């Protein structure tokens, strides 16, 4: 069974659209994250949730809204997509500081 | 920027050779971790070294940490073509946030 799974794996959409990426972990971890990896492979944290509560919000535009319905799920909704949002988005969960990553969602805004 | 720096940015070696990657960071840390990313995949945790440790081994991996210089190195011995990937260091300052700050990564290519 996949430990951290996110869907979809690929997402191609037009500017101005709204899209969501879903993430689920079956590891029983309390902490989940969203990271953004740009074309130069820089990996930057966006959000962190601990037991459904927002812990970190790293100056991400408010077009990005995470939602955690329970501690096993952390979804990312993006409004009014822009070209600069194109990137690979990774969900992760952690236990004792070690992160487990999903396979990534490659978002392409055209 | 809090992001750490890694060097080299890219490294190409022959199978059987050793590969060394370096990581420098800017703040005090609780621990430092190394992750591997194969092309098109998520990151996979390799090894964690705590701030009070100087060296750690795991299989063909050897990690060192020098907190006075705010630097770490990852050595992969007897490299294999399957080691081809990007390698990232990540620092954890501890505390309640469990926030990992990733370095810029080293792309390692091991030629068969």
């Amino acid at each position: 069974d996949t430990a951290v799974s996110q869907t979809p794996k690929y997402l191609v959409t037009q500017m101005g659209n709204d899209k969501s990426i879903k993430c689920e972990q079956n590891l029983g971890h309390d902490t989940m994250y969203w990271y953004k990896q740009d074309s130069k492979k820089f990996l930057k944290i966006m959000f962190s949730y601990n037991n459904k509560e927002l812990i970190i919000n790293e100056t991400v535009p408010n077009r990005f809204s995470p939602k955690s319905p329970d501690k096993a799920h952390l979804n990312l909704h993006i409004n009014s997509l822009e070209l600069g949002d194109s990137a690979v988005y990774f969900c992760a969960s952690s236990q004792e500081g070690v992160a487990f990553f999903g396979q990534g969602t490659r978002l392409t805004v055209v | 920027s809090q992001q750490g720096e890694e060097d080299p940015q890219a490294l190409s070696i022959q199978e059987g050779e050793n590969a060394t990657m370096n990581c420098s960071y800017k703040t005090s840390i609780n621990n430092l971790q190394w992750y591997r990313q194969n092309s098109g995949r998520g990151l996979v945790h390799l090894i964690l070294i705590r701030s009070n440790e100087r060296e750690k081994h795991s299989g063909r991996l050897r990690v060192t940490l020098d907190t006075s210089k705010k630097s770490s190195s990852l050595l992969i011995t007897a490299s294999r073509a399957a080691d081809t990937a990007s390698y990232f260091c990540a620092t954890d300052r501890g505390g309640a946030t469990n926030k990992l700050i990733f370095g810029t990564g080293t792309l390692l290519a091991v030629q068969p």
Side-chain angles (χ1 to χ4, degrees):
Chain A
D1 282 345
T2 305
V4 181
S5 60
Q6 52 184 108
T7 55
K9 188 169 182 181
Y10 299 98
L11 187 52
V12 181
T13 187
Q14 290 189 327
M15 279 175 57
N17 283 352
D18 303 338
K19 290 292 177 187
S20 292
I21 307 171
K22 295 187 175 182
C23 178
E24 176 181 5
Q25 55 99 0
N26 63 6
L27 297 168
H29 293 166
D30 289 337
T31 306
M32 295 186 72
Y33 309 84
W34 279 106
Y35 281 86
K36 177 180 180 180
Q37 187 173 45
D38 64 21
S39 58
K40 295 182 179 177
K41 295 219 164 179
F42 293 152
L43 198 67
K44 188 171 181 184
I45 190 167
M46 300 173 68
F47 301 103
S48 168
Y49 270 71
N50 186 274
N51 242 330
K52 303 192 300 176
E53 290 199 20
L54 179 66
I55 302 296
I56 298 171
N57 180 340
E58 284 287 310
T59 59
V60 176
N62 58 14
R63 298 183 295 104
F64 291 78
S65 52
K67 283 192 171 52
S68 182
D70 55 61
K71 78 171 195 177
H73 295 83
L74 180 61
N75 304 322
L76 183 65
H77 188 76
I78 315 169
N79 289 327
S80 303
L81 278 154
E82 301 176 356
L83 293 176
D85 296 332
S86 295
V88 182
Y89 292 84
F90 285 99
C91 175
S93 68
S94 76
Q95 187 77 5
E96 298 178 355
V98 174
F100 295 77
F101 283 80
Q103 81 277 23
T105 295
R106 181 173 292 277
L107 171 65
T108 303
V109 182
V110 297
Chain B
S1 167
Q2 302 176 54
Q3 196 153 26
E5 299 274 334
E6 290 183 59
D7 80 273
Q9 288 188 344
L11 179 61
S12 182
I13 59 174
Q14 297 292 320
E15 249 186 338
E17 293 180 339
N18 296 341
T20 299
M21 290 158 263
N22 302 297
C23 167
S24 61
Y25 57 92
K26 298 179 182 179
T27 64
S28 61
I29 61 170
N30 182 52
N31 67 69
L32 184 143
Q33 304 174 35
W34 285 89
Y35 287 79
R36 166 194 169 126
Q37 183 180 31
N38 286 73
S39 180
R41 307 294 295 273
L43 281 78
V44 174
H45 178 258
L46 294 176
I47 194 166
L48 179 153
I49 185 166
R50 302 192 188 283
S51 60
N52 61 354
E53 297 175 309
R54 291 297 166 258
E55 188 170 312
K56 204 159 183 182
H57 297 254
S58 177
R60 293 183 297 113
L61 306 181
R62 173 178 167 250
V63 169
T64 62
L65 179 64
D66 186 335
T67 52
S68 66
K69 294 181 180 177
K70 292 188 170 56
S71 67
S72 174
S73 67
L74 171 68
L75 169 67
I76 304 174
T77 60
S79 63
R80 305 166 182 168
D83 294 329
T84 295
S86 292
Y87 292 82
F88 294 86
C89 66
T91 53
D92 181 354
R93 296 185 67 181
T97 59
N98 288 321
K99 176 177 167 180
L100 285 177
I101 304 295
F102 282 84
T104 49
T106 293
L107 177 59
L108 173 65
V110 181
Q111 311 297 335

